Short mmCIF file of all heavy atoms in Angstrom, two decimals:
data_model
loop_
_atom_site.label_atom_id
_atom_site.label_comp_id
_atom_site.label_asym_id
_atom_site.label_seq_id
_atom_site.Cartn_x
_atom_site.Cartn_y
_atom_site.Cartn_z
N ALA A 685 -6.97 -47.47 -20.05
CA ALA A 685 -7.20 -46.96 -18.69
C ALA A 685 -7.41 -48.09 -17.70
O ALA A 685 -6.92 -48.04 -16.56
CB ALA A 685 -8.41 -46.02 -18.69
N ALA A 699 1.38 -37.22 -23.79
CA ALA A 699 2.48 -38.16 -23.60
C ALA A 699 1.97 -39.55 -23.26
O ALA A 699 2.48 -40.57 -23.76
CB ALA A 699 3.43 -37.65 -22.51
N GLN A 705 -0.49 -46.14 -26.91
CA GLN A 705 -0.76 -46.69 -28.23
C GLN A 705 0.38 -47.59 -28.71
O GLN A 705 0.16 -48.66 -29.29
CB GLN A 705 -0.97 -45.57 -29.24
CG GLN A 705 -2.21 -44.74 -29.03
CD GLN A 705 -2.28 -43.62 -30.05
OE1 GLN A 705 -2.63 -43.83 -31.21
NE2 GLN A 705 -1.94 -42.42 -29.63
N ALA A 741 -14.76 -32.36 -19.23
CA ALA A 741 -14.14 -32.25 -17.90
C ALA A 741 -13.22 -31.04 -17.90
O ALA A 741 -12.08 -31.09 -17.44
CB ALA A 741 -13.38 -33.52 -17.57
N ASP A 763 -17.05 -35.29 -27.59
CA ASP A 763 -17.52 -34.08 -28.25
C ASP A 763 -17.84 -34.39 -29.70
O ASP A 763 -16.97 -34.78 -30.48
CB ASP A 763 -16.46 -32.99 -28.15
CG ASP A 763 -17.04 -31.60 -28.19
OD1 ASP A 763 -18.28 -31.48 -28.14
OD2 ASP A 763 -16.27 -30.62 -28.25
N PHE A 779 -27.38 -37.72 -32.15
CA PHE A 779 -28.74 -37.19 -32.28
C PHE A 779 -29.72 -37.91 -31.37
O PHE A 779 -30.66 -37.30 -30.85
CB PHE A 779 -29.20 -37.31 -33.73
CG PHE A 779 -30.64 -36.95 -33.94
CD1 PHE A 779 -31.05 -35.62 -33.99
CD2 PHE A 779 -31.62 -37.94 -34.05
CE1 PHE A 779 -32.38 -35.29 -34.17
CE2 PHE A 779 -32.95 -37.62 -34.22
CZ PHE A 779 -33.34 -36.29 -34.28
N LYS A 793 -24.81 -56.16 -31.41
CA LYS A 793 -25.40 -57.41 -31.88
C LYS A 793 -25.52 -57.39 -33.40
O LYS A 793 -25.21 -58.39 -34.08
CB LYS A 793 -26.77 -57.62 -31.24
CG LYS A 793 -27.47 -58.91 -31.66
CD LYS A 793 -28.81 -59.07 -30.95
CE LYS A 793 -29.53 -60.35 -31.38
NZ LYS A 793 -30.84 -60.50 -30.68
N ALA A 823 -27.82 -43.00 -42.11
CA ALA A 823 -28.40 -42.17 -43.17
C ALA A 823 -29.91 -42.30 -43.22
O ALA A 823 -30.62 -41.34 -43.54
CB ALA A 823 -27.78 -42.55 -44.52
N ASN A 828 -29.92 -35.68 -38.57
CA ASN A 828 -28.74 -34.84 -38.49
C ASN A 828 -27.46 -35.62 -38.85
O ASN A 828 -26.36 -35.20 -38.51
CB ASN A 828 -28.58 -34.26 -37.08
CG ASN A 828 -29.63 -33.22 -36.77
OD1 ASN A 828 -30.36 -32.77 -37.66
ND2 ASN A 828 -29.75 -32.84 -35.52
N SER A 835 -14.79 -38.08 -40.68
CA SER A 835 -15.38 -39.41 -40.58
C SER A 835 -14.51 -40.47 -41.24
O SER A 835 -14.65 -41.67 -40.96
CB SER A 835 -16.77 -39.43 -41.22
OG SER A 835 -17.65 -38.56 -40.55
N ILE A 857 -5.61 -63.68 -36.15
CA ILE A 857 -6.98 -63.90 -36.62
C ILE A 857 -7.95 -63.09 -35.77
O ILE A 857 -7.98 -63.24 -34.54
CB ILE A 857 -7.34 -65.39 -36.57
CG1 ILE A 857 -6.40 -66.19 -37.48
CG2 ILE A 857 -8.79 -65.61 -37.01
CD1 ILE A 857 -6.56 -67.68 -37.36
N VAL A 862 -11.84 -62.33 -29.17
CA VAL A 862 -10.83 -61.33 -28.83
C VAL A 862 -11.36 -59.91 -29.04
O VAL A 862 -11.11 -59.00 -28.25
CB VAL A 862 -9.53 -61.56 -29.64
CG1 VAL A 862 -9.69 -61.25 -31.10
CG2 VAL A 862 -8.40 -60.74 -29.06
N THR A 878 -24.04 -58.09 -22.94
CA THR A 878 -24.03 -57.16 -21.82
C THR A 878 -22.66 -56.51 -21.76
O THR A 878 -21.67 -57.07 -22.26
CB THR A 878 -24.32 -57.87 -20.49
OG1 THR A 878 -23.34 -58.92 -20.29
CG2 THR A 878 -25.71 -58.47 -20.49
N LYS A 883 -11.24 -55.51 -21.68
CA LYS A 883 -10.17 -56.36 -21.16
C LYS A 883 -9.25 -56.84 -22.27
O LYS A 883 -9.70 -57.20 -23.35
CB LYS A 883 -10.79 -57.57 -20.44
CG LYS A 883 -9.81 -58.55 -19.82
CD LYS A 883 -10.57 -59.69 -19.13
CE LYS A 883 -9.61 -60.66 -18.43
NZ LYS A 883 -8.75 -61.38 -19.40
N ASP A 899 0.26 -47.29 -43.36
CA ASP A 899 -0.52 -48.52 -43.24
C ASP A 899 -2.01 -48.23 -43.08
O ASP A 899 -2.85 -48.85 -43.73
CB ASP A 899 -0.04 -49.35 -42.04
CG ASP A 899 1.36 -49.89 -42.23
OD1 ASP A 899 1.75 -50.18 -43.37
OD2 ASP A 899 2.08 -50.00 -41.21
N ILE A 921 -34.67 -36.45 -42.68
CA ILE A 921 -34.67 -37.81 -43.19
C ILE A 921 -34.86 -37.81 -44.71
O ILE A 921 -35.66 -37.03 -45.24
CB ILE A 921 -35.80 -38.64 -42.51
CG1 ILE A 921 -35.51 -38.78 -41.01
CG2 ILE A 921 -35.92 -40.01 -43.16
CD1 ILE A 921 -34.30 -39.62 -40.68
N ASN A 923 -33.01 -36.74 -47.01
CA ASN A 923 -32.62 -35.49 -47.67
C ASN A 923 -31.11 -35.32 -47.49
O ASN A 923 -30.65 -34.47 -46.75
CB ASN A 923 -33.37 -34.30 -47.07
CG ASN A 923 -33.12 -33.02 -47.85
OD1 ASN A 923 -32.72 -33.06 -49.01
ND2 ASN A 923 -33.34 -31.89 -47.21
N GLY A 937 -17.39 -35.13 -53.34
CA GLY A 937 -18.03 -35.90 -52.28
C GLY A 937 -17.56 -37.33 -52.15
O GLY A 937 -18.11 -38.07 -51.33
N THR A 955 -5.11 -29.60 -39.47
CA THR A 955 -4.34 -28.36 -39.64
C THR A 955 -5.05 -27.35 -40.53
O THR A 955 -4.53 -26.25 -40.75
CB THR A 955 -2.96 -28.66 -40.27
OG1 THR A 955 -3.13 -29.29 -41.53
CG2 THR A 955 -2.12 -29.54 -39.35
N ASP A 960 -17.37 -29.15 -40.59
CA ASP A 960 -17.70 -29.81 -39.33
C ASP A 960 -19.13 -30.30 -39.32
O ASP A 960 -19.50 -31.15 -38.52
CB ASP A 960 -17.45 -28.83 -38.18
CG ASP A 960 -17.49 -29.47 -36.82
OD1 ASP A 960 -16.94 -30.58 -36.68
OD2 ASP A 960 -18.07 -28.87 -35.91
N LEU A 966 -15.16 -26.02 -38.88
CA LEU A 966 -14.31 -25.99 -37.70
C LEU A 966 -13.09 -25.13 -38.02
O LEU A 966 -12.23 -25.52 -38.80
CB LEU A 966 -13.88 -27.40 -37.30
CG LEU A 966 -12.92 -27.49 -36.12
CD1 LEU A 966 -13.58 -27.00 -34.84
CD2 LEU A 966 -12.43 -28.92 -35.93
N PHE A 975 -0.01 -25.73 -32.33
CA PHE A 975 0.14 -26.99 -31.57
C PHE A 975 0.13 -28.17 -32.53
O PHE A 975 0.98 -29.07 -32.46
CB PHE A 975 -0.99 -27.12 -30.56
CG PHE A 975 -1.10 -28.47 -29.89
CD1 PHE A 975 -0.30 -28.80 -28.81
CD2 PHE A 975 -1.98 -29.43 -30.37
CE1 PHE A 975 -0.38 -30.04 -28.20
CE2 PHE A 975 -2.08 -30.68 -29.78
CZ PHE A 975 -1.27 -30.98 -28.69
N LYS A 992 2.07 -27.15 -43.40
CA LYS A 992 1.95 -25.76 -42.99
C LYS A 992 3.13 -25.39 -42.11
O LYS A 992 3.62 -26.20 -41.31
CB LYS A 992 0.65 -25.54 -42.23
CG LYS A 992 -0.60 -25.64 -43.08
CD LYS A 992 -1.83 -25.38 -42.24
CE LYS A 992 -3.08 -25.36 -43.10
NZ LYS A 992 -3.13 -24.20 -44.00
N LEU A 993 3.61 -24.15 -42.24
CA LEU A 993 4.71 -23.68 -41.42
C LEU A 993 4.17 -23.09 -40.14
O LEU A 993 3.12 -22.43 -40.14
CB LEU A 993 5.52 -22.62 -42.17
CG LEU A 993 6.20 -23.10 -43.48
CD1 LEU A 993 6.93 -21.94 -44.14
CD2 LEU A 993 7.13 -24.26 -43.21
#
Side-chain angles (χ1 to χ4, degrees):
Q705 292 178 77
D763 207 8
F779 173 79
K793 180 178 179 180
N828 290 349
S835 298
I857 299 173
V862 70
T878 57
K883 181 179 183 295
D899 293 328
I921 295 293
N923 187 21
T955 59
D960 191 41
L966 176 65
F975 170 83
K992 290 181 175 291
L993 298 178

